[in-house]
Amino acid sequence: MALLEIKDLHAKVGDREILKGISLTINPGEVHAIMGPNGSGKSTLAQVLAGRELYVVTGGEVIYQGKDLLAMSPEDRAREGIFLAFQYPVEIPGVSNMYFLKAALNTIRKHQGQEELDAIDFLNLVREKMKLMEMDQALLNRPVNTGFSGGEKKRNEIFQMAVLEPKLAILDETDSGLDIDALRAVAGGVNALRSPERSMIVVTHYQRLLNYIVPDFVHVLSQGRIVKSGGKELALELEESGYAGLGIEDDEEVATV
Amino acid sequence: MTAVSEQTGAWLEEFAKLPKAEPWIQELRERAYARFAELGFPTTHDEEWRFTNVAPIARSSFRSEPTYGKKRSAVPLDAEAHLGRYASFDQNAFVALNTAFLSDVTVRRVPAGTVLEEPIEITYETPEGAAAHPRTLILVGANAQCSIVETYKGDGAYFTNAVTEIVLGENAVVDHYKVQRESLEAFHVATMQVQVGRSANFSSHSIALGGALVRNDANAVLSEGSHATLNGLYIVNGTQHVDNHTVIDHAKPHATSHELYKGILDGTANAVFNGRIIVRKDAQKTDSKQTNKNLVLSDNAVIHTKPELQIHADDVRCTHGATIGQLDAESMFYLQSRGIGRKEARALLTHAFAQDIIDRVKVQSVKDDLERYLSEKLHEHAH
Ligand SMILES: Nc1ncnc2c1ncn2[C@@H]1O[C@H](COP(=O)(O)OP(=O)(O)O)[C@@H](O)[C@H]1O
Ligand SMILES: [Mg+2]
């Protein structure tokens, strides 16, 4: 059975339709890359899958583990194993990273019928994952993402993913703003989590990340539609000829970098 | 006028019943009572009381509670030089009423040069059905240092009408906490009047959690080179009404003040923040910053916030700002996307909003109590 089935998904924000019929099937263990120019709707798709209410689904359906995903609250999606690494992780002053992550992990564990971790077990787990991510432990005691550099925020997202061990990870431009060392660390963290049970959607604007996280499939999104799908060689094709090679103009006049 | 005398009439009866005190106190009481009778209770026509209607207090018929149990000592003789000198009852009916009912006074002295390791703890618990007028006088000598924790609490319906006078000598350092955890049926009116000596440093943290109808006046007068920090946190829900009025009077040059009041409002609660900064004519080089931030969790809660800058000097720096906002939708989604339930996320963010005030609390017991209270209270909301 497919882990995730997206069928003819339409979504809008305000009066504006952004996703115009997306279909995609993801089986357990598969890594799908979604590429596309700025403004093509990549983040919208990622956020819709995670349950952001700002985006209103106007058509289509999404089946996750045989259930209607769109009927679930964002927290229930997370509890059922969906994880979104945000393109722009949110700063939350006043909430410590540690407290936040422990609350998240234990809520998810409880939901999945596992025992909650006590402070010591949690700390051990967190230490191990931080090492994997080559992350500074001091970040744990700071408020969530507050005062983090761009790179630290992205690492923190993947670190959270490593701790929460989702079944479906959606990484939204996790590579943007990373220097090469940070990119390697992040990719290393992601690759360590690859397993036959875990699927990933890797959203990226550039091919670069895909040298490190090699996808099984590549899809090109333009103006809210998947215009081309293929294997990992499609990413290389794009690298050479650019989106223009596929006849795609930049989707946004003012590209947000 | 009839309305005023009707309302003050019941208090006159109680006043007449008071046992006579030593002559100087009796004289002070009588002057205060006379002033109270003239002023009457304020109404919402009075600018200072525009958003706070004290008619329920004026109409109430609590029995007078002149003493807080018999254990407390009466007014120490040496308080005469100070008592009533700072908190004027001339314009404030509640201060007048408190002074009229003056009986037991909590007096604490910190001798010059003394550094107290343990906080001075003063707790007032008004019995159900009573009207009490707790009075506190704290005299901190030159170069002395101390923390003060005033706690107000009780059960059921009652009226607490408190006045606290604090005097800091030259170079003194005082860290003051007022923890107001009155019952949700109680009326609480309080004035804190602080005289900050030359180069002294006063900080105050006013935590307002309880009470049905609450009015706090926190006033500080700054001498040359002194500093005042006024922080406040008010958390209101249901039909609670909490009014914070502060006055920072930069009477002399080179003083600094820093004020941060934060409010969390839910239900149909009302809150008022009115922060007045006075910079007197010769108070050059004043540096003053005032901030009021409000988190409004319900569509039916109302906040009135107003800065009032009265600046009579030219070489000064005064800034102020007020915000009223809801929980941030992006932060909510971020927490939920990690499996944290909506209600829990709301509680977390609300707690986080108060965090910077909590972080400024240096007395550990107060901090722990506040953390516990917040977790319980917000958890209650969450379920
Ligand atoms: N909250 C929003 N309000 C209005 N327009 C939005 C909003 N979010 C996204 N859009 C628009 O939808 C389009 C797709 O955006 P997005 O999904 O962020 O693209 P991508 O991630 O591919 O760069 C863009 O034109 C963008 O301006
Ligand atoms: Mg994007």
Side-chain angles (χ1 to χ4, degrees), chain B residues 3-147:
Chain B
V4 167
S5 51
E6 264 168 37
Q7 289 171 350
T8 56
W11 292 93
L12 178 58
E13 252 172 65
E14 294 287 332
F15 182 67
K17 278 195 269 177
L18 274 182
K20 290 271 181 295
E22 295 136 75
W24 72 270
I25 294 182
Q26 191 58 31
E27 192 266 336
L28 182 61
R29 278 182 181 171
E30 277 167 18
R31 272 196 293 128
Y33 191 81
R35 187 60 189 151
F36 168 68
E38 280 165 22
L39 289 169
F41 284 102
T43 69
T44 50
H45 298 298
D46 187 336
E47 189 58 33
E48 284 281 286
W49 295 84
R50 207 171 134 208
F51 299 110
T52 298
N53 182 359
V54 297
I57 298 176
R59 276 200 308 267
S60 67
S61 55
F62 297 114
R63 67 177 189 280
S64 265
E65 188 74 20
T67 59
Y68 278 93
K70 298 202 170 60
K71 283 193 205 89
R72 210 169 275 265
S73 61
V75 186
L77 284 173
D78 58 357
E80 182 173 356
H82 296 283
L83 200 62
R85 258 194 57 191
Y86 311 98
S88 162
F89 54 73
D90 198 44
Q91 294 306 321
N92 186 320
F94 288 97
V95 174
L97 194 62
N98 174 287
T99 312
F101 283 85
L102 206 68
S103 51
D104 286 352
V105 179
T106 306
V107 181
R108 295 283 185 276
R109 285 172 181 282
V110 184
T114 313
V115 177
L116 293 187
E117 298 297 335
E118 294 298 313
I120 296 171
E121 308 233 17
I122 302 165
T123 301
Y124 293 107
E125 185 164 357
T126 303
E128 187 161 7
H133 308 274
R135 182 83 179 210
T136 310
L137 173 65
I138 297 171
L139 303 167
V140 183
N143 301 304
Q145 289 186 26
C146 69
S147 319

Side-chain angles (χ1 to χ4, degrees), chain A residues 43 87 172-173:
Chain A
S43 291
Q87 180 175 6
D172 189 0
E173 299 220 20

Side-chain angles (χ1 to χ4, degrees), chain A residues 30-32 161 168-169 171 190 193-194 198-202:
Chain A
E30 289 176 356
V31 174
H32 290 243
M161 174 174 96
L168 174 65
L171 314 186
V190 172
L193 284 166
R194 283 184 82 157
R198 185 169 291 126
S199 308
M200 295 188 188
I201 298 175
V202 180

